[in-house]
Amino acid sequence: MKEHTRVVVIGGGIVGAAVLYHLTKLGWSDVVLVERKQLTAGSTWHAAGAFHAMNSDPNVSRLQAYGISVYKEVEEISGQDVGMHLTGGINIAATPERWEVIRYEHARHRVIGIDSHLLSPEEIKKLCPIIDTSDVIGGLFDGNEGNIDPYGSTHALAKAARMAGAEVYLKTMVEDLVHKSDGSWTVVTDKGNIQCEHIVNCAGLWAREVGRMAGVHVPIIPMEHHYILTGDIDEVKDFDGELPMMIDLDGEMYLRQEQNGVLLGVYEKNSTPWSVESTPWDYGESDLLEPRMDDIEDALMQGFERFPSLADAGIRRIVNGPFTFAPDGNPLIGPVRGVQNYWSCCGVMAGFSQGSGVALALSQWMIDGEPEGDVFAMDVNRFGAYATRKYTIVKGMEFYENRFKLLCPNDEWPAARPNKVSAVHDRLQQANAVFGPSFGLETPLWFAPQGSEATETPSFRRSNAHGPVGEECRAVRDGVGIIDVSSIAKYEISGPDAVSYMDYVFASRLPELGRIRMGPMLLPSGHLKGDLTVMRLAADKFMVTGSGYLQEFHMLWFEQQLAGMNVRIDNRTEELSAIAIAGPGSRELLSKAASGDVDNDSMPFMSAHSMDVGFAPCLIARLSFTGELGYEMYVPAAYAGMLYDYLLEVGDSLGIRPFGIRALVSLGMEKSFGIWSREYTPEYTPAMCGFDRWVDYGKADFIGRDAALVDRDAELEHKLVTLEIDSTDADAWGYEPIWCKDEYAGFVTSGAYGHTVEKSLALGYVKTQYLESSNGEFSVHVVDERRPAVITSGASYDPSGSQMRS
Ligand SMILES: Cc1cc2nc3c(=O)[nH]c(=O)nc-3n(C[C@H](O)[C@H](O)[C@H](O)COP(=O)(O)OP(=O)(O)OC[C@H]3O[C@@H](n4cnc5c(N)ncnc54)[C@H](O)[C@@H]3O)c2cc1C
């Protein structure tokens, strides 16, 4: 066993083997994998081995599609048979709602790069003769699906890595992890110590225990899962070919061929978390759990109805095994904040679909400093302290039980709520707010009419929120609205080196004292890393604000850039509430409520001032995402309730009205304002999305400067545009294809109805070749049909920005 190495990968399941292989593939060969028993000794050995590329997150889909291509690659390199059955897979729809969603998905696959096609019930029956299609409306076929041998694929990955220089130590237990002062690690095993630069937690079922060795809380929960293997089925034996992988989304089940019978897996409604405190070290290798027939009986019966010949074939074997879920079912990958050189690669719920994709992203992160593209949906830093043990269990169960649930974009899942509430939550509740969580915090989405139930009907089309949101938008545009935006992230950055630090971290010019500037952050590659707002509170003190759900993501980045500078970074998000007012009446309101002058000379657009509002000591920023005259007030949370009441009281004569995030998004869309995770992600550069107007290319140095200069002068392939869509009942949500005549021209990043301009609006990236001469010939696929669209030359509302500067 080596005593020194660059990376120790802990765990030899499908994920650990894939990480080992990808580290070598990307050029790091001085790497080892330590496995306490044999390869596959955790969840991996008893998996059904099914894989598919389709996922509700297109970025995850892309990585899954990549991962599938790796199996053949490692089979060729290693000579180890991976047992690949590329049968194709069919998702079936047995309700009109599901059929609509499946057709929508199909349209969006064009954007993601999945080559799927729709099938009629007759075509499904031909490909899978054992299915009862009497109630099936249709299906979606993807040829890039099938199943793999868990043993063969894990061994092929590990062997290919070994052939490139990696080493694998079996029957070697990692017992402890010691972090050294230089950031490197001592990995303590039962066979001796290994000194290394980096460790990767790929310990699957034991990832929580390996996390604890380094003081890291890993928010995952193992869940029990069953599949059955049947005896021979005549139709299968006689079938000319192999059955595709079948997913009955409404039945929450999957099926694939296994010899002359089938394997049927079910996601039952009464799920069972396993070993909630910790995973026993003596579990694994060939252990299985006792089947819980009572719990899965209903789900199995549904399976037998969908595939009637299973009932006669008899159950040859029942497998019940545990595998891990993060609260939202996505993997937890990346560097863990506060623990240098400790990498997470666990919570991989679908290891055979996702193993190589997450391994590629993680290896790029370790070797190149950043993964390619946007992997936030899998970033371990998407969770914060709110993802406690109990939260993880409750959300894990919710995800398991709704594994294939028809998910509408306006769905807010109910488990573990309310978790965190803002200081004005009770006031918002009294006003009949409909809430949605952001980083665990209940935020007001919209306000249902008094006397009606505060819930939103899940839908891909305009929901019951449409009317009330319209009223909220009009109240802001015509008078004054008030919104609790406490979810905004607030960072205070100060200290003797604060100016040079900020100047390097942000690509924009720093604001003068008392002023505010948009603050894009770039990666060394010149792609976007953040879309923050920077306020200068003192010569060496800044307040930086941004999307609240990115707190850990931002803080990790801020801390990584410190390089010994004398700078203090405080995340004040939970300590400070934020209440905003917006609309032409907002100045009059503030002039009555605040302790100082708020006229345009005293408080111009994009300025920040400390002032009392009622009894509350506030930092007031004059800006608003609504595109109206507006103010954001940051205040210690203890004052927020009083501040909110006071603003309502003073604003009463001005007709003040609460509004929520849905209205904010609609108002911002009318101004063509983009948001992070949609228009702005690491996929895009400043020139592509229009951030170049805030980049100070003349600055001596900032992260990504060299690449940004190249980007500025390069020919653009895509450009962010605003579209007006001719649609009367539905709006785009994101990832819908944009067509120019019949050519694929780009895709939507987000959409909303603009209640002031009375138009369905969207933002999206369009290939520049189509922008010059093609207007009048665009269409966008919204829900179930292509709808005509035009690209506008600027924002639909107040393109000159006179309102917000007024
Ligand atoms: C019944 C069932 C069916 C499934 N079907 C599918 C399917 O069809 N398709 C699909 O994609 N996924 C499926 N899964 C999920 C799949 O099994 C997991 O996603 C995958 O196995 C996770 O792999 P892993 O490498 O992260 O973890 P694991 O397989 O749990 O591997 C972790 C490894 O780390 C080792 N280890 C832990 N701690 C230490 C330590 N301290 N020192 C040394 N070694 C350590 C363990 O011994 C183990 O070998 C199924 C799961 C179950 C239970």
Side-chain angles (χ1 to χ4, degrees):
M1 191 164 87
K2 278 186 179 179
E3 288 180 359
H4 290 90
T5 187
R6 191 166 206 173
V7 184
V8 173
V9 175
I10 304 167
I14 183 71
V15 175
V19 168
L20 194 72
Y21 171 67
H22 280 86
L23 287 171
T24 60
K25 185 176 172 180
L26 269 60
W28 281 9
S29 54
D30 182 15
V31 294
V32 307
L33 184 151
V34 180
E35 163 56 50
R36 70 192 177 111
K37 293 196 171 186
Q38 297 296 332
L39 294 179
T40 78
S43 294
T44 298
W45 76 270
H46 50 54
F51 59 78
H52 43 97
M54 294 192 234
N55 186 286
S56 57
D57 186 302
N59 297 302
V60 178
S61 271
R62 264 185 225 128
L63 282 177
Q64 290 187 181
Y66 161 78
I68 294 164
S69 71
V70 170
Y71 292 125
K72 279 282 155 206
E73 180 179 303
V74 291
E75 188 174 66
E76 270 165 33
I77 295 172
S78 67
Q80 163 74 51
D81 183 4
V82 297
M84 170 85 115
H85 294 251
L86 197 61
T87 57
I90 304 175
N91 287 1
I92 60 167
T95 62
E97 296 79 23
R98 180 70 78 173
W99 180 229
E100 182 173 90
V101 173
I102 275 194
R103 283 182 293 143
Y104 197 15
E105 278 299 304
H106 171 57
R108 289 160 27 130
H109 282 170
R110 177 66 185 79
V111 178
I112 302 166
I114 294 178
D115 185 17
S116 61
H117 57 266
L118 296 167
L119 298 177
S120 66
E122 296 71 34
E123 288 170 316
I124 296 172
K125 184 85 184 171
K126 252 192 208 157
L127 291 168
C128 181
I130 60 169
I131 189 172
D132 173 6
T133 53
S134 52
D135 61 341
V136 171
I137 304 173
L140 184 60
F141 179 84
D142 174 12
N144 201 21
E145 302 201 347
N147 62 85
I148 197 94
D149 169 24
Y151 176 93
S153 53
T154 308
H155 278 263
L157 284 159
K159 190 171 171 196
R162 281 209 313 270
M163 289 167 73
E167 296 190 6
V168 175
Y169 306 133
L170 302 177
K171 297 192 174 147
T172 306
M173 168 84 177
V174 173
E175 295 178 327
D176 201 5
L177 298 167
V178 181
H179 208 189
K180 296 192 282 188
S181 55
D182 64 356
S184 68
W185 292 88
T186 301
V187 178
V188 181
T189 82
D190 58 353
K191 302 277 166 62
N193 292 355
I194 310 173
Q195 313 300 330
C196 65
E197 205 177 316
H198 303 271
I199 50 172
V200 189
N201 181 354
C202 294
L205 280 177
W206 296 267
R208 291 172 298 176
E209 286 66 33
V210 169
R212 281 174 204 140
M213 290 176 192
V216 173
H217 164 66
V218 179
I220 54 168
I221 179 73
M223 300 292 300
E224 293 191 19
H225 180 60
H226 293 76
Y227 61 76
I228 60 162
L229 293 160
T230 69
D232 288 359
I233 299 171
D234 288 343
E235 292 111 303
V236 176
K237 215 188 307 178
D238 299 340
F239 184 55
D240 186 15
E242 193 171 357
L243 300 183
M245 201 192 40
M246 304 296 297
I247 298 186
D248 181 347
L249 300 161
D250 300 300
E252 304 269 356
M253 70 182 97
Y254 58 93
L255 172 140
R256 70 164 173 82
Q257 186 170 335
E258 175 73 19
Q259 294 166 2
N260 287 325
V262 297
L263 178 156
L264 175 75
V266 291
Y267 285 92
E268 69 280 13
K269 281 292 164 214
N270 38 350
S271 63
T272 306
W274 178 74
S275 277
V276 291
E277 296 300 337
S278 55
T279 303
W281 288 112
D282 60 1
Y283 182 82
E285 210 155 20
S286 57
D287 292 326
L288 285 175
L289 308 174
E290 266 306 301
R292 287 177 296 103
M293 292 311 284
D294 287 352
D295 288 342
I296 63 166
E297 193 183 342
D298 288 351
L300 282 183
M301 293 320 289
Q302 251 186 305
F304 292 171
E305 278 170 29
R306 176 62 67 211
F307 304 99
S309 37
L310 268 63
D312 300 331
I315 298 176
R316 186 162 54 83
R317 190 171 171 220
I318 303 174
V319 169
N320 178 17
F323 65 136
T324 59
F325 287 74
D328 59 4
N330 271 344
L332 298 169
I333 72 166
V336 172
R337 188 178 154 222
V339 196
Q340 200 187 349
N341 296 336
Y342 176 99
W343 299 84
S344 172
C345 199
C346 54
V348 185
M349 173 269 295
F352 296 91
S353 299
Q354 302 179 329
S356 282
V358 299
L360 173 71
L362 186 89
S363 304
Q364 290 169 337
W365 216 328
M366 294 178 73
I367 296 171
D368 305 332
E370 280 295 317
E372 209 179 280
D374 177 17
V375 300
F376 186 73
M378 304 191 290
D379 190 332
V380 63
N381 295 300
R382 71 187 180 279
F383 292 108
Y386 69 92
T388 56
R389 175 182 159 280
K390 185 168 182 195
Y391 176 92
T392 306
I393 296 168
V394 173
K395 293 302 277 185
M397 290 172 70
E398 182 184 51
F399 182 86
Y400 181 96
E401 292 174 13
N402 294 285
R403 175 78 172 84
F404 299 129
K405 184 178 185 272
L406 195 157
L407 248 194
C408 293
N410 63 343
D411 253 330
E412 299 294 343
W413 287 24
R417 296 180 54 200
N419 182 351
K420 287 192 285 180
V421 296
S422 89
V424 298
H425 184 74
D426 54 343
R427 275 101 170 153
L428 304 175
Q429 246 176 341
Q430 277 163 21
N432 221 18
V434 178
F435 293 96
S438 170
F439 207 68
L441 181 76
E442 294 293 319
T443 53
L445 298 179
W446 59 284
F447 292 82
Q450 284 295 354
S452 69
E453 208 187 326
T455 52
E456 183 167 357
T457 324
S459 176
F460 279 84
R461 297 171 187 275
R462 291 176 194 153
S463 73
N464 57 325
H466 186 71
V469 169
E471 286 174 26
E472 292 171 27
C473 289
R474 286 184 286 277
V476 173
R477 289 272 187 255
D478 300 338
V480 56
I482 182 167
I483 180 169
D484 172 26
V485 280
S486 297
S487 62
I488 290 179
K490 308 147 202 109
Y491 315 104
E492 205 170 85
I493 300 181
S494 59
D497 295 337
V499 172
S500 36
Y501 170 81
M502 294 285 291
D503 220 22
Y504 178 64
V505 170
F506 288 88
S508 51
R509 194 144 53 83
L510 295 182
E512 305 295 319
L513 189 62
R515 301 307 302 251
I516 306 172
R517 270 185 186 279
M518 301 311 295
M521 295 194 296
L522 304 185
L523 292 164
S525 63
H527 285 234
L528 299 182
K529 179 66 189 183
D531 65 335
L532 296 157
T533 303
V534 181
M535 307 175 205
R536 188 149 195 178
L537 307 184
D540 58 357
K541 186 170 166 189
F542 300 84
M543 174 72 91
V544 177
T545 60
S547 305
Y549 69 95
L550 297 167
Q551 282 169 60
E552 292 292 305
F553 174 85
H554 287 151
M555 285 298 290
L556 173 71
W557 182 251
F558 289 154
E559 288 162 0
Q560 283 174 337
Q561 314 313 320
L562 275 171
M565 287 197 216
N566 192 351
V567 175
R568 189 183 156 135
I569 305 169
D570 294 302
N571 181 358
R572 301 190 62 199
T573 307
E574 299 211 334
E575 190 189 317
L576 296 177
S577 292
I579 308 293
I581 54 171
S586 56
R587 180 178 290 122
E588 190 180 340
L589 166 55
L590 197 63
S591 68
K592 290 179 179 165
S595 58
D597 286 340
V598 300
D599 60 75
N600 223 351
D601 293 334
S602 316
M603 197 187 279
F605 181 56
M606 297 298 268
S607 63
H609 304 256
S610 290
M611 233 178 244
D612 295 346
V613 181
F615 296 120
C618 296
L619 169 67
I620 306 181
R622 195 189 141 187
L623 46 75
S624 174
F625 191 77
T626 62
E628 290 297 334
L629 171 68
Y631 307 85
E632 285 177 0
M633 285 160 251
Y634 301 98
V635 61
Y639 294 93
M642 186 275 302
L643 172 68
Y644 193 80
D645 292 344
Y646 185 60
L647 289 167
L648 281 181
E649 185 191 317
V650 179
D652 190 42
S653 60
L654 298 163
I656 191 168
R657 179 183 176 126
F659 67 106
I661 300 293
R662 290 274 156 74
L664 190 65
V665 167
S666 163
L667 294 162
M669 178 65 70
E670 289 182 329
K671 287 287 299 165
S672 297
F673 291 158
I675 53 174
W676 191 261
S677 289
R678 296 301 193 98
E679 289 71 37
Y680 313 136
T681 77
E683 305 258 341
Y684 311 121
T685 65
M688 283 162 84
C689 68
F691 264 29
D692 46 351
R693 65 187 182 276
W694 293 307
V695 173
D696 182 4
Y697 293 98
K699 259 200 322 190
D701 197 15
F702 59 86
I703 301 169
R705 180 176 178 272
D706 293 348
L709 284 169
V710 174
D711 173 57
R712 179 189 62 176
D713 302 328
E715 292 248 319
L716 288 179
E717 223 180 292
H718 286 89
K719 222 175 162 191
L720 185 64
V721 299
T722 305
L723 297 120
E724 291 179 357
I725 306 170
D726 186 3
S727 173
T728 52
D729 62 336
D731 306 296
W733 288 97
Y735 287 103
E736 292 88 353
I738 301 170
W739 302 95
C740 181
K741 291 192 184 154
D742 274 335
E743 288 179 37
Y744 172 70
F747 58 96
V748 168
T749 43
S750 55
Y753 185 73
H755 290 272
T756 321
V757 298
E758 297 183 334
K759 282 180 180 143
S760 181
L761 303 173
L763 291 167
Y765 283 92
V766 170
K767 292 181 196 166
T768 42
Q769 71 195 76
Y770 293 105
L771 290 177
E772 271 92 57
S773 59
S774 315
N775 226 343
E777 297 168 307
F778 288 101
S779 60
V780 175
H781 197 112
V782 180
V783 189
D784 58 349
E785 56 180 323
R786 277 196 207 178
R787 309 184 192 221
V790 290
I791 292 177
T792 64
S793 55
S796 307
Y797 173 78
D798 187 26
S800 69
S802 59
Q803 289 301 114
M804 57 190 187
R805 290 184 176 80
S806 64

